[in-house]
Amino acid sequence: MLRIGHRGAAGYAPENTLSSIKKAVTLKVDFVELDVQATKDRQLVIFHDRRVDRLTIGKGAVADLSLADLRRLTLPGGHAIPTLEEGLKAAEGKVGVMLELKIPGLVEPALETLKRSGFSGSVIVASFFHDELLHLRRLQPKVQTLALLVGQPVTPAGFALEAKATHVGIAFDTLGKAYVDALHSAGLQVFAFTVNEPADIQQVAGLGVDGIISDFPDRIQK
Ligand code: G3P
Ligand code: CA
């Protein structure tokens, strides 16, 4: 059972910050999940929301702001919005990364950033944009990719097989034993997100998933 820290370890430190990644490292996660977006000047940053309004005192969409604009904004506690490169540096040599591409068009810049940073740990590239994962597969035949889904499709594994993904990440309240078994039969690794309550973690673990994504990754038994 893999333990994946959601947005770093968002239950313990402001989400998607270097502090959150460092906290996840101290909790000995297998992977940190990080949300990736691009600024107006095409710099990759780690940030979840499309707009900065909820988490900072600023306003506007990440895609309409430059990296310099974002650098002037801070999260509660004075934490900066990190670049992807800074996030990879914080994880290097310690934990794997699960990079969620939040918008289309990030495959090439994400690959370039991974290469430039020399990140040597395990990488899983995740997205709700399954055609982006297929595009990535064509560029990198061996990369691990994870197709995200909230729901239970008629054909359980079809969406992930079409994307040539190695993993799926399913919203835990739409998972069930037969669904997990069908995904496994199709050769897919199954992660559940975002599971925080101990009783839910226990229930989802009982379905036989391969990994759990949690804001509180220390609550997941190995
Ligand atoms: O890892 C999957 C999960 O992070 C997707 O949902 O909204 O937390 O990015 P969200
Ligand atoms: Ca995410």
Side-chain angles (χ1 to χ4, degrees):
M1 168 77 72
L2 294 173
R3 304 194 303 168
I4 302 105
H6 187 231
R7 307 183 194 176
Y12 298 108
E15 63 184 60
N16 284 320
T17 61
L18 296 181
S19 289
S20 195
I21 297 170
K22 286 173 188 165
K23 179 66 186 176
V25 168
T26 68
L27 297 177
K28 302 196 187 311
V29 299
D30 297 291
F31 287 87
V32 282
E33 188 264 356
L34 302 169
D35 296 301
V36 181
Q37 298 195 56
T39 61
K40 189 178 181 183
D41 47 346
R42 300 302 293 167
Q43 302 300 305
L44 296 193
V45 291
I46 302 175
F47 199 76
H48 178 269
D49 298 1
R50 196 178 66 82
R51 296 179 62 88
V52 298
D53 306 34
R54 175 178 66 95
L55 287 167
T56 76
I57 53 160
K59 281 198 189 315
V62 172
D64 294 333
L65 297 166
S66 67
L67 181 59
D69 293 332
L70 288 187
R71 290 301 206 189
R72 282 190 281 273
L73 304 176
T74 52
L75 285 86
H79 298 273
I81 298 170
T83 61
L84 176 57
E85 201 151 353
E86 289 167 342
L88 291 172
K89 203 170 166 194
E92 170 62 27
K94 301 178 183 97
V95 292
V97 292
M98 176 176 153
L99 304 180
E100 184 190 343
L101 307 183
K102 294 302 277 186
I103 55 167
L106 298 186
V107 166
E108 279 88 353
L111 286 177
E112 274 163 32
T113 306
L114 280 163
K115 191 172 172 194
R116 193 172 59 242
S117 71
F119 186 75
S120 62
S122 295
V123 177
I124 301 174
V125 179
S127 191
F128 284 102
F129 294 92
H130 300 169
D131 48 351
E132 296 290 306
L133 299 179
L134 183 57
H135 175 51
L136 174 55
R137 170 68 57 232
R138 288 178 178 139
L139 295 175
Q140 293 273 325
K142 291 194 173 150
V143 70
Q144 300 187 98
T145 59
L146 182 145
L148 289 164
L149 191 73
V150 179
Q152 208 171 102
V154 173
T155 309
F159 72 99
L161 296 177
E162 277 177 8
K164 299 192 189 300
T166 51
H167 296 59
V168 294
I170 311 288
F172 82 93
D173 46 4
T174 62
L175 264 182
K177 184 81 176 95
Y179 191 8
V180 172
D181 290 348
L183 292 164
H184 279 158
S185 296
L188 295 156
Q189 298 269 307
V190 182
F191 290 3
F193 72 89
T194 300
V195 200
N196 289 335
E197 293 305 319
D200 291 332
I201 289 172
Q202 205 179 344
Q203 187 260 329
V204 165
L207 299 177
V209 298
D210 305 287
I212 293 180
I213 300 165
S214 177
D215 293 332
F216 303 93
D218 51 323
R219 294 179 181 174
I220 305 161
Q221 302 291 317
K222 270 280 178 198

